[in-house]
Amino acid sequence: MKALVYGGPGQKSWTEVPDPTIIDPRDAIIQVDTVTICGTDLHILGGDVPEVEPGRILGHEAVGTVVDIGTGVTGLSRGDRVLASCISACGACRYCRAGSYGQCRNGGGWVLGHLVDGVQAQYARLPFADLSTYQLAQNIADEAAVMLADILPTSYEVGVLNGQVRPGDTVVVVGVGPIGLAAILTARLYSPSHIIAVDKAESRLQAAKQFGADVAVKPDDDPLEVVQALTGGLGADVVMEAVGTPAAFELCTTLVRPGGRVANIGVHGKPATLHLEELWIKNVTITTGLVDTFSTPDLLRMLGTGQLDVGHMITHRFALDDFMAAYEVFARPAETGALKVVLSRQ
C-alpha cells in the first residue's frame, strides 16, 4: 500500500510500505476512506515531537471500513464503517478506568502517527479497536465524522471543559485554526456573553466570526485593550491557547482576569515563560491536557441531530493519492485560506 511516511524533521513522502497486519488480538485493520491532516502533524514535521521516529506513518484522524479484526475484538465486524479515534484505550489501566484514556499506560493514549504507524495511508492498524473506534450512523457523513477524530473532542475537553466555560463568560481563543474554531463552536454550547478570536490571518478571523466569535482581533492590534473594553477592565473569564508557541501562551496570561482560567490546547515544542511574578497573586488557574475522547459519543450524537455543524471547517478536498499537495496547502494557511483539508478514497 501507499502511506505518508515521516523521514525526519522537514521530510515526508507518499511511498510504498508493507500492508498492516494484525499484531495483537485486539487490533483491527481498516481501509482508510476519509482522512485529514492535523496541526500536530506539522509540529512533528517541525521537529517539535522528537518521540516520532523516521519511518513512521503519520496521521491520527480517519474514517474507514473494517477489513480485518483480531480474535479479541468485540462489537466490530468486517464491513463496519467506523470513526478511528486519535486516542487508543486499553480500558484496564488506572487512567482508563478513570476515563483518562489519553494517559493510558498499557500501550494506548496518543499512539497513532506518534508511537505506532498512523492512518495517513490506504490501510491502517488500530490498536484496542473495540474501545478506540465508533460505529457511524448512516446519517453522519465521512467528512463530518472525521472532524470528531481529534479536533472537536480536543477543543471541547482540553479547552471548553478544562476552562470551565459558563453562561455569561467572556471567552478568548488565541489561534483560530481548526482547533481554535472547534473551541469557538463548542464554547457556544455554554452561552458565553462574548467570544473573542485572536489570530494573525484575516481569513481565519473571518472564519471565526462564522463559527460564533463576535469580536476578531489581530495580535498586533492590542487584544488586551479590546478585552478590557468588553469586561470593564477585568479581563477574560476563560482564555484558550490554540497555537502552541511561547508568544501565544504568554499573551493568554495577560488577557485573563483575576480568578480566571487559561486552558492550553496547543502543542508546544519550546519553553514558554510563566510570569509568576505577576500571576501568583491573581488566583489564575492554568490547565494543560491531552484529549481523552470521553466526549466523542456525545459529540457524535450532537452531530447526528444537527446540534453541531462542522461542514464549514473543510476548505479543501483531495484524492487520497494527493497527500503531498494537501500538506503544501495545509501548511500555508495564510496564503491558501486552508482550515481542514480532507482526503478521500472516492
Side-chain angles (χ1 to χ4, degrees), residues 74-328:
T74 60
L76 281 183
S77 301
R78 291 175 179 84
D80 285 346
R81 189 171 68 103
V82 296
L83 170 66
S85 176
C86 66
I87 297 296
S88 304
C90 79
C93 72
R94 173 180 176 179
Y95 287 100
C96 284
R97 286 180 177 271
S100 297
Y101 307 120
Q103 302 302 322
C104 176
R105 287 299 185 260
N106 285 341
W110 172 41
V111 293
L112 290 175
H114 179 207
L115 304 179
V116 303
D117 285 335
V119 298
Q120 290 177 2
Q122 293 173 324
Y123 293 88
R125 179 181 72 92
L126 304 180
F128 306 117
D130 44 0
L131 293 181
S132 307
T133 61
Y134 301 88
Q135 294 190 49
L136 295 173
Q138 290 297 319
N139 67 328
I140 297 179
D142 286 6
E143 284 191 353
V146 79
M147 299 297 109
L148 273 64
D150 181 0
I151 62 169
L152 259 293
T154 292
S155 298
Y156 182 54
E157 295 174 19
V158 185
V160 176
L161 296 185
N162 278 2
Q164 300 177 30
V165 176
R166 299 167 183 149
D169 275 355
T170 295
V171 176
V172 179
V173 180
V174 176
V176 287
I179 287 286
L181 293 177
I184 292 170
L185 183 66
T186 51
R188 288 179 61 194
L189 297 170
Y190 292 85
S191 302
S193 61
H194 295 290
I195 300 180
I196 303 162
V198 182
D199 201 286
K200 295 179 179 179
E202 183 62 33
S203 61
R204 293 194 163 184
L205 292 177
Q206 293 305 313
K209 289 183 177 180
Q210 291 182 335
F211 277 79
D214 55 297
V215 179
V217 59
K218 293 184 177 181
D220 294 337
D221 292 337
D222 202 349
L224 178 59
E225 181 179 345
V226 173
V227 171
Q228 289 183 331
L230 288 172
T231 60
L234 284 179
D237 300 283
V238 183
V239 186
M240 303 182 208
E241 199 279 356
V243 182
T245 64
F249 176 79
E250 291 168 31
L251 173 61
C252 290
T253 62
T254 69
L255 301 178
V256 68
R257 68 166 174 82
R261 301 165 297 280
V262 175
N264 183 88
I265 313 172
V267 177
H268 288 265
K270 296 178 181 179
T273 301
L274 181 63
H275 288 284
L276 284 177
E277 77 280 7
E278 299 173 2
L279 295 171
W280 73 272
I281 202 170
K282 292 184 177 180
N283 291 17
V284 169
T285 298
I286 298 174
T287 60
T288 66
L290 174 67
V291 64
D292 292 312
T293 65
F294 65 80
S295 68
T296 302
D298 291 337
L299 294 169
L300 278 170
R301 281 191 290 273
M302 286 190 277
L303 186 65
T305 58
Q307 291 172 268
L308 290 175
D309 180 4
V310 298
H312 295 305
M313 288 187 178
I314 301 168
T315 54
H316 295 76
R317 293 170 173 84
F318 296 87
L320 197 59
D321 281 334
D322 290 335
F323 250 110
M324 298 300 283
Y327 261 95
E328 288 302 310

